[in-house]
Amino acid sequence: MDGTSYLDRIGQLVEPGERVLAYAQAEVGGGVTPPPPPDEVAPDAPGRATVTSVLLNLLVPLATWDRGDRLVDLIGWGIAGRGAPGSAASRLHRALHPPRPDGKLRHTLLAVTDRRLLACVTGEVKLLSKREDDERSLAETRVAWAAPRAEVASARVGWHRLNPKRLRIDFTDGSWLAFTVPIAESGAPLRALAAALSG
């Protein structure tokens, strides 16, 4: 799908008089992310990761243990975000990764306007899609999370492990979350987003 279609759809989702300054299709970076908001924390979660839970997470990926998952993510990918439960990064991550996903593939679109930072989610995306599928996915795009630009402390694009295109958004509450694009894709949209947030 071409970028102008996304720009047009984001333009329909913003408030009257709000201008879209930059946008990028990106996904939350791999690795350990901030914990969910306090009202969504699972009760009686196990207190620590054990060797058994880590091995089972590696050998049987469909059987998950939260602490083991986090340790595998930390070792394999590093840290993709920090923040207390309920922080801006925590709420943003939860909006993009709800506790009960429906298993459908969707894209994440980040947009900066003259007023807000938006995180949008497309409708279901099919790998071998037809034009009608793309149009439906675009029409179902919605704003999943938004915050005033005053809540964003800084944004920058830099290296993380082997990927030189990782956008890190820092919030004024001290939390942060990282987004990436595949190595084969251009990092120009992420750099434009960071420049718009910093400007």
Side-chain angles (χ1 to χ4, degrees), residues 12-103:
Q12 296 168 1
L13 296 172
V14 298
E15 297 171 352
E18 191 172 13
R19 291 182 307 116
V20 178
L21 304 177
Y23 73 97
Q25 180 181 332
E27 300 300 328
V28 174
V32 177
T33 55
D39 56 337
E40 297 181 18
V41 174
D44 301 324
R48 62 189 177 95
T50 63
V51 173
T52 305
S53 67
V54 172
L55 287 174
L56 284 172
N57 275 326
L58 292 172
L59 298 173
V60 188
L62 296 178
T64 62
W65 289 267
D66 185 53
R67 300 285 179 166
D69 280 346
R70 290 180 68 80
L71 186 58
V72 170
D73 285 346
L74 178 62
I75 293 167
W77 299 103
I79 298 173
R82 292 256 190 203
S87 63
S90 169
R91 293 189 319 272
L92 171 54
H93 183 260
R94 179 54 70 195
L96 297 175
H97 296 278
R100 292 176 214 46
D102 59 11

Side-chain angles (χ1 to χ4, degrees), residues 95-196:
L96 297 175
H97 296 278
R100 292 176 214 46
D102 59 11
K104 296 178 180 176
L105 176 63
R106 292 180 166 80
H107 291 305
T108 300
L109 304 171
L110 297 175
V112 178
T113 73
D114 52 352
R115 301 176 195 168
R116 300 180 293 164
L117 168 64
L118 306 173
C120 303
V121 178
T122 67
E124 180 183 6
V125 177
K126 296 184 179 179
L127 295 178
L128 299 173
S129 63
K130 298 177 184 171
R131 182 176 177 170
E132 301 82 41
D133 296 327
D134 291 343
E135 290 172 354
R136 181 194 36 73
S137 174
L138 185 65
E140 292 175 3
T141 299
R142 61 181 174 76
V143 175
W145 180 89
R149 288 188 52 178
E151 287 187 21
V152 177
S154 65
R156 64 184 178 281
V157 176
W159 279 86
H160 177 70
R161 301 209 174 179
L162 296 176
N163 191 342
K165 297 167 285 201
R166 182 166 113 148
L167 169 69
R168 176 175 159 159
I169 301 174
D170 290 87
F171 297 97
T172 54
D173 63 5
S175 65
W176 62 273
L177 193 62
F179 293 85
T180 61
V181 295
I183 290 176
E185 291 186 18
S186 170
L190 291 182
R191 288 190 290 276
L193 203 80

